[in-house]
Amino acid sequence: AAANLQKSLVRALSDNGDLPEINAKTLHSLLGINISGKNHLRKPIKADLLLIDECSMIDANLMSKLFASITPGMRVILLGDPHQLPPIESGLVFGDLIKQANR
């Protein structure tokens, strides 16, 4: 899915040569997490803007790792539908964030 998104972004933005580099990755790849769930690199993410899709599927542990990797001044956009697929592990962080924002 990340490779297809990358191709679509490059194709859609090819006429705008002055845009910065755009990279599409899975969240696990971005955070350096291997298939066993280990090896979080604990390095800050180097980006001006971070767009995360399908946030309803992110569990509390993964969201914690994501938030710990965000650098000051970075803009973060979380997208998703809180009524879609829930995370496999514990924590409905995205749904809770939506509830807090709507208070």
Side-chain angles (χ1 to χ4, degrees):
N4 288 337
L5 179 58
Q6 179 73 38
K7 288 178 188 176
S8 295
L9 288 170
V10 168
R11 191 172 35 247
L13 300 171
S14 63
D15 293 338
N16 299 317
D18 59 344
L19 289 176
E21 183 179 351
I22 296 175
N23 293 305
K25 294 182 178 185
T26 66
L27 189 52
H28 285 79
S29 173
L30 178 68
L31 297 174
I33 300 171
N34 65 20
I35 197 155
S36 68
K38 297 179 181 177
N39 294 340
H40 179 249
L41 297 177
R42 299 195 188 278
K43 292 183 180 178
I45 298 169
K46 295 182 180 180
D48 295 322
L49 172 66
L50 184 62
L51 183 95
I52 308 288
D53 194 12
E54 301 292 349
C55 289
S56 66
M57 295 174 28
I58 302 174
D59 63 46
N61 184 39
L62 189 57
M63 192 70 85
S64 173
K65 290 177 180 179
L66 171 63
F67 287 159
S69 298
I70 293 172
T71 56
M74 180 187 296
R75 293 169 290 167
V76 178
I77 299 173
L78 301 175
L79 298 173
D81 181 343
H83 304 291
Q84 290 290 324
L85 291 173
I88 294 172
E89 299 295 328
S90 64
L92 298 171
V93 180
F94 186 66
D96 291 343
L97 288 171
I98 297 293
K99 287 177 189 173
Q100 282 296 113
N102 289 327
R103 285 188 169 187

